[in-house]
């Protein structure tokens, strides 16, 4: 496994792979790898000849007061996990390598970024789309693997790649969960034992909301209100938002029409730790 820290070497490595006739699968991460990331690597390995993993805690997507400095950076362990998972190339640049000058250019996706995480963290998605564009530019033509856990991010990046004709096919990968239903996230390690136990409320609420729709409820506002009520019953949890949105436009919907694919999306805080989760439902 090659471990590369300069943009130039990364670009040359993947250009070389393509010249040799290999297809490239890109897995962008911020490190602190867990089974969710490994599932992205596995998907890339199934589809592509060469898997490139990027590990970069992108300062642009953190606002002042967020967890940038505390964000876990277990690089040695990440490299071991990456090698065991069959990654060929790891790109782990420093901040100065990625941003040698303060960036004067930013990539912004309109509409899809307006609500939910975009409203809660106003500069977040511009930071994500800017760094992902840089990574796509460096990696060149490839397939790029993103988890459905960050469903809004997945939608935003997919739209960006299409709008900007980036030579990248964005591949969506399903959420990986703990046995009790908690979606895997690098931020789960921040949870105290009590909060970890209580965090199961996210997946349970989503399950409950999905069952309401599958059982005949046709008013999305009633479902969204029920999600809030359900989370409200867990004293350790503080709901930031719970929405039932159209899965393509991410616009909150009112009537649940038969055949529509919707996404139940929520963010819940336990102390200072924000957990995101979502679930897809096709309205019967
Ligand atoms: O999902 C993440 O880990 C990050 O937002 C990403 C896509 C690697 C960009 O920094």
């Amino acid at each position: 496994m090659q471990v590369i820290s300069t943009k130039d070497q990364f670009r040359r490595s993947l250009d070389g792979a393509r010249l040799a006739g290999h297809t490239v699968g890109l897995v962008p991460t911020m490190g602190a790898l867990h089974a969710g990331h490994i599932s992205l690597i596995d998907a890339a390995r199934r589809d592509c000849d060469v898997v490139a993993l990027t590990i970069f805690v992108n300062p642009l997507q953190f606002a002042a007061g967020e967890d940038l400095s505390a964000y876990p950076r277990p690089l040695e362990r990440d490299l071991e996990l990456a090698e065991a998972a069959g990654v060929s190339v790891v790109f782990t640049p420093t901040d100065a390598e990625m941003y040698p000058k303060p960036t004067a250019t930013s990539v912004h996706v309109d509409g899809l970024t307006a609500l939910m995480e975009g409203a809660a963290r106003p500069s977040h998605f511009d930071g994500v789309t800017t760094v992902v564009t840089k990574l796509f530019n460096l990696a060149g033509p490839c397939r790029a693997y993103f988890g459905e856990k960050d469903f809004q991010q997945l939608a935003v990046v997919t739209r960006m790649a299409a709008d900007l004709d980036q030579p990248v096919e964005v591949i969506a990968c399903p959420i990986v969960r703990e046995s009790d239903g908690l979606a895997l996230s690098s931020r789960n390690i921040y949870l105290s034992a009590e909060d970890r136990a209580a965090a199961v409320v996210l997946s349970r609420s989503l399950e409950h909301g999905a069952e309401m729709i599958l059982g005949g409820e046709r008013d999305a506002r009633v479902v969204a209100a029920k999600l809030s009520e359900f989370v409200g019953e867990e004293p350790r949890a503080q709901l930031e938002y719970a929405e039932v949105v159209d899965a393509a436009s991410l616009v909150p919907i009112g009537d649940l029409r038969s055949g529509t694919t919707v996404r139940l999306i929520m963010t819940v805080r336990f102390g200072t730790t924000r957990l995101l989760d979502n679930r897809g439902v096709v309205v019967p």
Side-chain angles (χ1 to χ4, degrees), residues 28-30 37 54 56 58 61 71 124 127-128 131-132 135 146 150 153 157:
T29 78
M30 298 205 299
H37 297 113
T54 71
F56 179 61
N58 172 37
Q61 67 191 72
Y71 200 84
H124 172 69
V128 171
V131 80
V132 171
L135 294 171
F146 289 84
D150 296 308
Q153 168 175 280
V157 167

Side-chain angles (χ1 to χ4, degrees), residues 1 30-34 53 55 72-83:
M1 185 176 79
M30 298 205 299
L33 302 183
H34 51 65
L53 175 79
I55 299 179
R73 290 167 171 84
L75 184 60
E76 227 170 277
R77 185 176 163 275
D78 283 351
L79 294 179
E80 281 167 20
L81 289 172
E83 181 141 46

